[in-house]
Structures are given as structure tokens and as C-alpha cells.
Amino acid sequence: MVSAIKVNLPQQSYDIAIAPGSLDQLGDRMATLKLGKKVLLVSNPNVFQFYGERAIASLKAAGFEVASYILPDGENYKTLESVQKIYDAALENRLERSATMVALGGGVIGDMTGFAAATWLRGINFVQVPTTLLAMIDAAIGGKTGVNHPQGKNLIGAFNQPRLVLIDPEVLKTLPVREFRAGMAEVIKYGVIWDAQLFDELEASQRLDEMEYLIPPTPLNKEGYNSPTPLGKGGEGGSSLMDSILTRSCQAKADVVSKDEKEAGQRAILNYGHTIGHAVESLTGYTQVLHGEAVAIGMVAAGQIAVELGMWTQEETQRQDALIEKAGLPTQLPSGLDIEAIIEALKIDKKVKAGKVRFVLPTQIGVVTVTDQVPADIIRQVLRGM
């Protein structure tokens, strides 16, 4: 699988490059962008131990001067304090306006590095090298960057489009199963909001909870053993569901962002499941529930709200929830979570407009609408049922 998806924007268009083994071409791909020679690579310990040296070697081979900074892993470190440490590293390494920050990691690293790049010297170059499924298909694309406030998710941030998004599917081999499942929540989201064909492909798969079930079996060699087939290239079964997940999800995100870069209208549909999902994350301290798990819970709630409002059918929400369960994701609220606390948290969500909470709600598989006409009593009723 080799794909190049263009994010077409008025000011700065860029490519999403998807290819197995592409991590080793990072330097060459960045060299074609005619960036300055100084690079600060930001990562976390888990990712860096697997892929840091390869990324640095590729950059140096292409003539870049590379420094690195390692931040702790986890959503609870997505703070202004962490961004300050990136600034310190930028200052220590004398990053000028022609320099580039490279985010090697998941959504947390990408969001913080992008925000640091947006604000260091009022803006320097930024490249995304996502290493989780969730970051590959969602967080790394579209230029949303930022950090959390103690009272709310992503309340501090900036739009800062990367110069390149480089996706190497091979790195998913080291992704923990729980993180893979969290990414599948965003895949299901695209099926509900934009791509009914992707939804159908997910339904046709027997399992979605582990990556091995999304790749066709490799052929046996003459000794009777499986021949090594790189992730994303498929075996005798041809193109894998994993290929489709990456390309169709990235294309969906690129299409929406190209139409509405800064969420003035249509881009808001990408927040499906995120309104209640973000409240769940913040109320559990960003440590109990992964982002994708919270989005899954939020999608279940949004689907049922749409049913209660007569916007889509019980059968459709059951189809959605079945996919969420097939992916090994939660469909119930964490135990002990206070319903009224969720209602209060919704009021400070960044999507609130004119004091009204906006929900993305489905009307059919592949189509959603944005509304601020959801009575609080309906929200309470649905949450109590979860």
C-alpha cells in the first residue's frame, strides 16, 4: 500500500503520505519541502525506544541537524507545562524560524508539538509522524493543536497545519492492543459521519478488536511457513481491511478539512462522539479512559440521543453499537461518574456556541447533522441508561 492524499487548503496544502517503511524516508521527504536544516524531534519514551533512532538517522542522512526531546507518555501530561519544556529545548538548540519540529508519537505528542511549533517565534515548520492508529487517521491531520485545561479538554490551542503527515503502517506492529482499539473508535466515527461504504466493510469483518484480524493471511512458502509480508501490503487475500481503514479514514478527514479548515461549519461533524466523550475524559482525570474509549462512549450516547429525538432509528444505533463492541470498546459510562457533573462539563466544552451545547447527531449511516436543540432532560435520560 502506497498512498498520497492531498489536504487542499488556501494557504498551505500538504500531503498525507502512507507507505510501509516510509519512516526511513522521513529525511528525504522533508528535504523536498526545502525546510531549514535544524530539526527538533519530540517523542515519548515508549515510541522513541522503537523508532527514535531510525527517524533521527533518516533526518541526518538527508543533511538535517537533529536534536530530540522526550516527554512523558499520557494524556495527563498534555499541559502548558509540557509545552514549556519543548520551548526550553527549542531555545537550547537555537531553533530559528526556518527550523522544523517533528512530532513522533500519538495524538498527545502531535497536539503538543504542533502547538509549540505554532507559538515558537510566532510559528515555525511542523511535521507529523504519527505512530498510533488514532493519530494516523485523525489527530495528525487537520492542524488542530493544543493542550488541556484542568477543567476541559483541548481548551488551549491553535490551528497549525503540518507541512507533511508521514504514515508508516509498519509502526503499528508495536502498538498496544488497547491503543489499537481506541483508534478504531475514530474509524467507526468516519463510517457513521461520512463513509457508509467503510461502515459496511467494518460490519463485514468478523473481528475488529485486534489488528491481526484486519490483514489477510500470508501465503505459505515451500517449507510450509508463512512468508513475511509487510503490514499494509496484504497476502494472497490482496488488499487488507487495514489498508482500507487507513486510506478511507485519512481521505475522509482530508475531504472535510479541505472544505472547512477552521471549523466554521462542516468540520464540526468530526466531533461526533466527542462532546460527551471529552466530558468523560476530563471528569476521570485523563487517566482512567483513553480518548478513543471516551469517543466510543460518546457515540453510543449521541446515537441514542438521535433516536430519542426521532432523527434515526433504533436499528441504526444498534448497528453502530455492535461495531463499537466488536472493536472491544466500552459502551457504558465508567462506574461512579456523576450524571450532573457530565451535564455541567458539557457547558464548558469548546464547541459551545452562544451558551448552547452543540451535538453532532446521525440521521443515517454516513450522514450527520449539527444541532444545539438537545434538551438537557434527553441527555440525562440517555446517560442514566448507560
Side-chain angles (χ1 to χ4, degrees):
M1 175 185 60
V2 178
S3 300
I5 296 168
K6 178 72 74 173
V7 182
N8 292 302
L9 299 172
Q11 299 297 321
Q12 180 178 293
S13 298
Y14 57 93
D15 286 335
I16 306 166
I18 310 173
S22 58
L23 181 61
D24 296 314
Q25 281 78 55
L26 172 63
D28 290 341
R29 288 180 179 269
M30 285 178 56
T32 65
L33 300 175
K34 303 188 184 308
L35 307 172
K37 290 300 181 183
K38 287 195 173 184
V39 170
L40 177 64
L41 183 143
V42 182
S43 190
N44 67 46
N46 294 330
V47 172
F48 192 84
Q49 71 171 335
F50 287 116
Y51 305 113
E53 293 304 322
R54 280 177 59 190
I56 290 171
S58 175
L59 290 165
K60 287 184 175 179
F64 290 100
E65 301 171 20
V66 188
S68 60
Y69 189 76
I70 310 302
L71 286 166
D73 188 21
E75 185 83 29
N76 51 316
Y77 291 102
K78 191 176 168 183
T79 63
L80 285 172
E81 182 181 0
S82 293
V83 172
Q84 177 66 53
K85 293 176 180 177
I86 300 176
Y87 294 149
D88 292 343
L91 181 61
E92 181 181 346
N93 291 282
R94 300 291 188 265
L95 260 62
E96 302 169 353
R97 281 188 172 170
S98 62
T100 304
M101 290 187 185
V102 175
L104 178 68
V108 172
I109 288 294
D111 281 7
M112 288 195 293
T113 306
F115 183 55
T119 48
W120 180 252
L121 303 180
R122 297 189 176 92
I124 67 172
N125 299 309
F126 168 46
V127 168
Q128 286 269 26
V129 186
T131 59
T132 67
L133 177 59
L134 190 149
M136 287 178 181
I137 62 168
D138 189 69
I141 305 166
K144 279 190 176 181
T145 70
V147 296
N148 300 329
H149 186 278
Q151 294 187 38
K153 171 112 171 169
N154 293 334
L155 293 179
I156 306 161
F159 284 97
N160 182 29
Q161 299 294 344
R163 297 296 304 276
L164 168 71
V165 179
L166 183 68
I167 296 174
D168 185 346
E170 294 283 348
V171 306
L172 292 175
K173 289 179 176 178
T174 55
L175 187 66
V177 170
R178 187 182 177 194
E179 292 280 357
F180 175 78
R181 292 173 180 172
M184 285 302 301
E186 297 284 359
V187 177
I188 295 167
K189 177 192 78 175
Y190 287 124
V192 175
I193 71 170
W194 192 257
D195 190 340
Q197 182 177 332
L198 175 59
F199 191 96
D200 291 343
E201 289 182 21
L202 297 174
E203 278 194 316
S205 178
Q206 288 189 342
R207 292 182 64 170
L208 297 172
D209 57 328
E210 293 186 34
M211 190 164 53
E212 64 182 278
Y213 301 107
L214 310 184
I215 304 169
T218 55
L220 298 180
N221 60 24
K222 61 182 179 180
E223 285 82 22
Y225 296 101
N226 284 337
S227 302
T229 301
L231 175 62
K233 291 188 176 178
E236 286 185 328
S239 179
S240 71
L241 178 56
M242 196 67 222
D243 294 348
S244 187
I245 283 171
L246 290 174
T247 56
R248 298 188 76 92
S249 297
C250 288
Q251 188 66 63
K253 183 72 178 274
D255 288 347
V256 175
V257 170
S258 295
K259 295 175 188 294
D260 179 17
E261 180 181 0
K262 296 189 176 180
E263 207 170 291
Q266 187 180 36
R267 183 169 176 169
I269 69 173
L270 295 171
N271 293 314
Y272 180 58
H274 287 59
T275 304
I276 287 173
H278 282 171
V280 169
E281 282 185 272
S282 62
L283 291 172
T284 53
Y286 304 109
T287 57
Q288 183 181 342
V289 181
L290 296 180
H291 174 67
E293 294 168 343
V295 169
I297 293 167
M299 288 194 293
V300 171
Q304 192 58 42
I305 288 171
V307 170
E308 297 298 330
L309 294 177
M311 298 173 66
W312 82 333
T313 66
Q314 189 69 45
E315 178 189 358
E316 287 172 309
T317 198
Q318 287 171 350
R319 288 176 65 194
Q320 171 197 257
D321 296 356
L323 277 190
I324 291 170
E325 291 179 346
K326 195 194 305 190
L329 290 161
T331 58
Q332 301 292 316
L333 289 171
S335 60
L337 209 56
D338 183 67
I339 302 301
E340 292 306 314
I342 296 176
I343 300 294
E344 286 302 310
L346 296 178
K347 296 176 182 178
I348 58 171
D349 186 90
K350 66 182 187 299
K351 296 178 288 298
V352 169
K353 188 173 184 179
K356 293 184 177 181
V357 180
R358 292 191 298 163
F359 277 88
V360 182
L361 299 177
T363 57
Q364 64 185 70
I365 301 297
V367 182
V368 291
T369 188
V370 181
T371 179
D372 60 8
Q373 300 299 308
V374 181
D377 287 346
I378 294 291
I379 301 172
R380 286 189 182 91
Q381 174 186 329
V382 169
L383 293 176
R384 284 170 184 155
M386 298 176 62

